[in-house]
Structures are given as C-alpha cells and as structure tokens.
Amino acid sequence: MTKHFLLSTSLLAALAFQAPSAFAQAAPTLSGQKPIVVAHRGASGYLPEHTIEGYKLAIQQGADFIEPDLVSTKDGVLIVRHEPMLSGTTDVAERPEFANRKTTRKVDGVDTTDWFANDFTVAEIKTLKAKQAFADRDQSHNGKYQIPTFQEVIDLAKAESARTGRTIGIYPETKHPTYHAALGLAFEDKLLDMLKAAGWTDKTAPVFIQSFETANLKYLRPKTQLRLVQLVDGDGVDKDGKVTLAAPFDRPYDFAVLGDKRTFQDMLSTEGLKEIATYADGVGPWKPYLIGAKQTIGADGKPQDLNGDGAIDERDRTLIAPTNVVKDAHAAGLLVHSWTFRSEPKRLASDFKGEASAEYKAFFAIGLDGLFSDFPDQAVKARDGK
C-alpha cells in the first residue's frame, strides 16, 4: 500500500487555487524547471483525436509536446490511432466497402470485435476519416480529417518548430507491443530508424517514447539514448479513491503473458520505481495514483449526489491526500508525467468547483514534471499562472 503525505484536504484545496507565479522560483520538479504540457492525442477536447488539424491546434495553444499513439498497418506503415481498433475514432463502420473486414481478435487477452488497422493497407487507411471519440464533445468536425502517418506527425513537429521558433516535441506511444509482435508487425526498430532520420537520437532530443508494457522498453534501452517512459495503468477507482486492478488493466500485458504476478501498483512501490529506473527515464502513472478522490457514502450504502444533479460522477468525489509516488519516483531519478487531464466540470473532483485550472495547479504543486491534457491551452495557462 502506498504511503501518504500528511497533507490535509484543506491545505490541498489551498494549493489547488494558489497561482504558481509562473514558476519564477524553482519548481518542485525533478529538474527544477517548469513542467511540460503534452497535448493528449492532440487538442482532443476540441477536435477529433490524432489528426494533423488537432495537433496544429495544440501547438497553437502552446503545448510543448504532441502525442502520437502508434499502430501498424498490414503493410508495415506506422499510423497514428489510439488503438489498433478503428471504429471508435474513424468512420470505418459506415464504409460498406470495408464491412467484411470486421473481425474478432484477442487484444491483451480479451476477445475484441472491430475493424483492425493491421487488416488495412496505409492506402486504405487514408480513405477513412476521423471522428470525435467522446459522444459528449463537439461532433461537428467528424468526417473532415484524414488519419495521419507517424511520418506526417514528425514532419509537422519539425515544420512547426521552425515556423514558431520554439521546439515542439513528440511523445509517441507504442501501442500493444505484444499484439503487434505476434502478427509479425513489431515496430520498435522502425520507430528508432524514423526518429534517427529526423535527427533525434539522444537525451536532448525533443522525444519521449512511452509504453504500458515493459519488454519493449527494455529492448529499446540499449539501442537508444532517447528518453523512455513506463506507463502505469489501472482499472478504476473505488469509493475510497484508491485505484482498482482488474485484467487487462492490472499489469503490463507482457507480465500477464509470462505469468509475472506483479501489478501496476507494485511498480509504483519504492522497489518497483527503482527497477523502472534501470530501463526508463520516467514513469507515467494514471493520475489517481498521485491524488485520488473518494465518494461520500450515505446511510443506505450508496454514494451521495453531493451537487444534487441526479448523476454520480467526479463532481461527487472529494480529494484525499496525495501519495508518495512523485517523491519516491524523484528519489529514484525518474521524471513523472501523469494522464489524462480533462477540463469538463463533470470530470473534476468537487474540490475544484468546476475549475480545471484548480486541478492542474494541485498536481503541479506536488512536483509533477509534466501532464497530458485534452485541453492543452487550459493546462498551459494554469502552469504559467495566467
């Protein structure tokens, strides 16, 4: 069980609303420099995720890094999608010419029925159009934008860096490495080759490579000086604000394949973080591992509707004390980049009173080195005290 700082909820609330003075003094980050803002799948709160248009908006909004999630086509081209499954973020289900491509495959041990990128050529992928993955977000841009290749995202980052005069980094995630390797589509070496061709080979390059699995990061470590980040997942959050663990979100899938019983929670222990530091430069925990939020349980044993809106969501949770994860990770020499920050009031704990800036400031206050946001403009403003 993770130990906790002795930091009261009232003090945390005060921290949440305290302006960070644009980090005029040394920030509580590992380096002492201000934390980075990563545009999660682009400016995905505003435009369909993983599109050139969404990345351009994120850069315009001040994001330091843009995040391309990588999957492979059947002809071995790296494209940018959150998952190899396509129906959630493209119009493939409405395309009669691809109706017979719908199939069932095992993804991280779970039978999944969908259209898979690895059953399409890149030319076919280019005929699809992106759509907004969240039903409660603006759908007016659906069907307008193509699916980009990874090379197009690299080219965009370099072009925008030249145009704006500031460095725009990329933060690629290798999606489901075990799944891709089983299909003969492992792409770690190809990824490094593409980054090398872009001139990015060492720790000073504006690149982080991330993964929820461990084996591919360990494979990459002796091959590159580029910074690697071990992602840490979870299944859900219980009534007390603690992360719950259930397959396939309980452990890296390569652990499951090998019968390794360690969980993501174990990886955030002092010893687990020390081990991560042997092959990675940073750790990327889901944000409830850092600051959780609990429900108020009534006499009937059910969670109370604190704001009386008839729905039980994040607005009906209250913050608990931060954990020691950031402190312990820093002690192990690891950066901490957390995810995913979403600015809609229903996705914010009650302490933040519907103000996304309050959540960002609370997490920056505990020493976070960076975060992933669907709304990078709001994250940048909170970080810079605007």
Side-chain angles (χ1 to χ4, degrees):
M1 183 63 67
T2 306
K3 297 179 180 178
H4 294 81
F5 288 130
L6 297 176
L7 182 62
S8 69
T9 301
S10 60
L11 176 56
L12 181 59
L15 281 172
F17 289 93
Q18 181 179 351
S21 302
F23 289 91
Q25 299 181 355
T29 57
L30 182 64
S31 66
Q33 299 180 3
K34 69 180 181 180
I36 63 169
V37 170
V38 185
H40 184 243
R41 312 179 202 170
S44 57
Y46 300 103
L47 293 176
E49 64 186 50
H50 293 316
T51 58
I52 294 298
E53 292 77 10
Y55 292 130
K56 284 183 176 178
L57 178 59
I59 293 165
Q60 177 185 327
Q61 292 178 342
D64 303 298
F65 284 76
I66 53 177
E67 182 205 27
D69 291 331
L70 305 181
V71 301
S72 180
T73 64
K74 73 177 181 180
D75 47 350
V77 176
L78 296 187
I79 63 167
V80 181
R81 287 292 88 192
H82 178 53
E83 298 285 358
M85 295 78 77
L86 298 172
S87 67
T89 63
T90 78
D91 63 355
V92 68
E94 287 74 55
R95 301 291 294 275
E97 67 269 34
F98 297 131
N100 64 352
R101 303 286 179 92
K102 189 175 185 179
T103 189
T104 300
R105 294 181 178 275
K106 278 196 182 294
V107 181
D108 291 359
V110 178
D111 283 334
T112 305
T113 301
D114 210 294
W115 290 260
F116 292 84
N118 51 269
D119 290 325
F120 291 72
T121 65
V122 67
E124 291 171 327
I125 290 291
K126 281 296 186 180
T127 70
L128 301 177
K129 299 295 184 181
K131 69 178 185 181
Q132 173 58 252
F134 283 68
D136 59 346
R137 291 178 175 171
D138 181 10
Q139 304 290 312
S140 67
H141 294 271
N142 291 355
K144 294 182 178 179
Y145 311 133
Q146 281 193 337
I147 312 310
T149 64
F150 182 44
Q151 186 61 55
E152 288 174 319
V153 177
I154 292 174
D155 294 343
L156 174 69
K158 294 182 79 69
E160 288 293 289
S161 295
R163 184 185 68 81
T164 62
R166 68 184 184 91
T167 300
I168 309 301
I170 63 169
Y171 208 127
E173 180 184 344
T174 57
K175 300 298 291 192
H176 304 285
T178 297
Y179 169 85
H180 280 97
L183 294 170
L185 292 171
F187 56 75
E188 282 73 18
D189 289 318
K190 182 176 298 183
L191 169 61
L192 292 185
D193 287 344
M194 295 176 73
L195 295 171
K196 182 178 180 180
W200 296 327
T201 59
D202 59 36
K203 284 184 181 295
T204 65
V207 178
F208 290 94
I209 300 173
Q210 57 180 329
S211 180
F212 281 107
E213 295 189 28
T214 69
N216 68 318
L217 292 177
K218 292 175 181 177
Y219 173 80
L220 288 169
R221 181 72 292 165
K223 290 176 170 285
T224 184
Q225 296 181 42
L226 292 170
R227 291 167 292 181
L228 308 178
V229 176
Q230 176 66 63
L231 296 173
V232 178
D233 209 347
D235 180 65
V237 180
D238 68 15
K239 63 181 178 61
D240 297 317
K242 307 296 185 184
V243 174
T244 59
L245 299 171
F249 307 109
D250 57 339
R251 68 194 71 227
Y253 186 60
D254 54 304
F255 279 18
V257 170
L258 295 173
D260 190 326
K261 300 300 183 184
R262 289 176 297 168
T263 67
F264 280 121
Q265 182 74 60
D266 295 327
M267 297 177 77
L268 293 178
S269 68
T270 302
E271 289 306 311
L273 290 166
K274 288 179 180 177
E275 180 177 344
I276 290 172
T278 66
Y279 64 86
D281 303 277
V283 61
W286 186 27
K287 66 182 182 179
Y289 281 113
L290 308 182
I291 304 177
K294 66 180 181 179
Q295 294 176 327
T296 298
I297 305 301
D300 59 358
K302 297 180 179 179
Q304 292 188 325
D305 181 8
L306 298 185
N307 64 354
D309 66 349
I312 300 296
D313 54 29
E314 292 302 307
R315 289 172 290 193
D316 302 304
R317 288 179 175 265
T318 55
L319 297 177
I320 60 176
T323 69
N324 270 343
V325 169
V326 173
K327 179 176 71 71
D328 291 344
H330 284 174
L334 292 167
L335 297 162
V336 183
H337 296 163
S338 190
W339 52 275
T340 299
F341 289 76
R342 297 182 164 119
S343 297
E344 295 96 344
K346 71 178 182 180
R347 296 186 169 108
L348 300 171
S350 62
D351 306 64
F352 301 131
K353 304 185 187 307
E355 296 291 335
S357 62
E359 181 184 44
Y360 291 120
K361 291 173 185 177
F363 278 82
F364 288 141
I366 63 170
L368 204 61
D369 300 286
L371 57 76
F372 291 75
S373 175
D374 288 1
F375 299 85
D377 56 335
Q378 298 187 39
V380 168
K381 287 178 182 177
R383 178 195 64 188
D384 295 344
K386 296 178 180 178

XYZ file of all heavy atoms in Angstrom, residues 14 18-19 22 79 85 142 148 231 234-235 252 256 267 271-272 286-287 297 311 349 361 369-370 379:
175
model
N -6.173 24.632 -0.843
C -5.486 25.916 -0.907
C -4.406 25.897 -1.975
O -4.242 26.840 -2.748
C -4.878 26.256 0.455
N -3.810 28.226 -5.548
C -2.679 29.129 -5.425
C -1.962 29.258 -6.755
O -1.544 28.272 -7.350
C -1.707 28.605 -4.360
C -0.502 29.502 -4.143
C 0.402 28.933 -3.075
O 0.047 27.982 -2.397
N 1.569 29.508 -2.938
N -1.821 30.482 -7.253
C -1.108 30.689 -8.514
C 0.345 30.289 -8.362
O 0.962 30.565 -7.343
C -1.202 32.156 -8.928
N 4.086 31.595 -12.189
C 4.749 31.275 -13.466
C 6.091 30.575 -13.247
O 6.997 30.647 -14.065
C 4.949 32.534 -14.304
N 0.923 4.259 -38.355
C -0.098 5.292 -38.403
C -0.443 5.689 -36.974
O -0.045 5.034 -36.010
C -1.356 4.835 -39.164
C -2.026 3.644 -38.453
C -1.019 4.511 -40.612
C -3.429 3.338 -38.956
N -7.894 -0.937 -33.011
C -9.308 -0.946 -33.362
C -9.706 0.422 -33.898
O -9.350 1.449 -33.322
C -10.161 -1.300 -32.143
C -9.931 -2.705 -31.622
S -8.412 -2.889 -30.624
C -8.941 -2.166 -29.075
N -16.506 15.761 -37.400
C -16.448 14.369 -37.844
C -16.467 14.299 -39.371
O -17.193 15.037 -40.036
C -17.635 13.579 -37.290
C -17.549 13.396 -35.790
O -16.566 13.768 -35.158
N -18.591 12.829 -35.205
N -3.459 10.420 -39.928
C -2.070 10.681 -40.302
C -1.158 9.484 -40.097
O -1.409 8.619 -39.255
C -1.665 11.830 -39.372
C -2.569 11.711 -38.189
C -3.840 11.073 -38.668
N 4.588 3.619 -18.632
C 3.222 3.993 -18.263
C 2.676 3.025 -17.217
O 3.035 1.846 -17.198
C 2.331 3.993 -19.496
C 2.690 5.021 -20.572
C 1.836 4.811 -21.817
C 2.529 6.438 -20.041
N -4.529 1.392 -14.582
C -5.404 0.847 -13.556
C -6.767 0.614 -14.160
O -7.072 1.103 -15.255
N -7.614 -0.134 -13.448
C -8.931 -0.461 -13.988
C -9.977 0.584 -13.633
O -10.827 0.930 -14.448
C -9.379 -1.827 -13.464
C -10.739 -2.229 -13.994
O -10.857 -2.431 -15.219
O -11.703 -2.316 -13.198
N 1.244 -4.851 -16.777
C 1.679 -4.849 -18.178
C 1.335 -6.187 -18.832
O 1.495 -7.246 -18.209
C 3.195 -4.650 -18.078
C 3.405 -3.969 -16.765
C 2.359 -4.547 -15.855
N 1.542 -10.454 -17.895
C 0.479 -11.466 -17.925
C 0.891 -12.664 -18.770
O 0.646 -13.821 -18.388
C -0.806 -10.846 -18.465
N 4.526 -1.707 -9.275
C 5.548 -0.957 -9.999
C 5.766 0.430 -9.415
O 6.816 1.048 -9.644
C 5.172 -0.860 -11.479
C 5.114 -2.205 -12.177
S 4.592 -2.090 -13.896
C 6.095 -1.492 -14.671
N 10.628 -0.073 -4.457
C 11.456 -1.015 -5.200
C 11.061 -1.068 -6.665
O 11.911 -1.196 -7.549
C 11.359 -2.408 -4.559
C 12.048 -2.513 -3.213
C 13.513 -2.072 -3.270
O 14.234 -2.547 -4.184
O 13.925 -1.257 -2.436
N 9.754 -0.990 -6.926
C 9.300 -1.017 -8.308
C 9.820 0.168 -9.104
O 10.238 0.031 -10.267
N -1.306 6.876 -14.126
C -2.659 7.411 -14.174
C -2.829 8.325 -12.963
O -2.370 8.018 -11.856
C -3.632 6.236 -14.133
C -5.074 6.583 -14.315
C -5.601 7.645 -14.980
C -6.195 5.821 -13.834
N -6.977 7.607 -14.938
C -7.357 6.502 -14.248
C -6.302 4.633 -13.097
C -8.637 6.029 -13.937
C -7.575 4.158 -12.786
C -8.733 4.845 -13.204
N -3.468 9.463 -13.132
C -3.445 10.494 -12.090
C -4.044 10.089 -10.747
O -3.590 10.616 -9.718
C -4.067 11.800 -12.604
C -5.545 11.742 -12.918
C -6.011 13.089 -13.463
C -7.508 13.055 -13.730
N -8.004 14.356 -14.238
N -20.287 8.130 1.188
C -21.257 7.033 1.215
C -22.336 7.330 2.254
O -22.044 7.636 3.418
C -20.561 5.697 1.528
C -19.433 5.440 0.530
C -21.577 4.557 1.508
C -19.860 5.381 -0.918
N -26.893 12.791 -10.946
C -25.895 11.884 -11.519
C -24.739 11.726 -10.542
O -24.421 12.638 -9.776
C -25.382 12.429 -12.846
N -13.049 16.672 -9.615
C -13.498 16.435 -8.240
C -14.163 17.686 -7.673
O -13.886 18.813 -8.104
C -12.313 16.024 -7.371
N -3.263 23.049 -11.079
C -2.381 23.652 -10.076
C -2.131 22.713 -8.904
O -1.027 22.684 -8.347
C -2.962 24.983 -9.615
C -2.919 26.048 -10.696
C -3.663 27.312 -10.288
C -3.697 28.312 -11.447
N -4.477 29.533 -11.114
N 6.247 16.537 -13.219
C 7.183 17.008 -14.244
C 6.504 17.276 -15.578
O 7.095 17.898 -16.470
C 8.299 15.985 -14.439
C 9.083 15.753 -13.159
O 9.874 16.631 -12.788
O 8.875 14.695 -12.522
N 5.294 16.791 -15.725
C 4.559 17.008 -16.957
C 3.219 16.320 -16.873
O 3.003 15.448 -16.019
N -4.197 23.837 -19.710
C -3.062 23.367 -18.918
C -1.915 24.374 -18.936
O -1.289 24.649 -17.910
C -2.578 22.011 -19.441
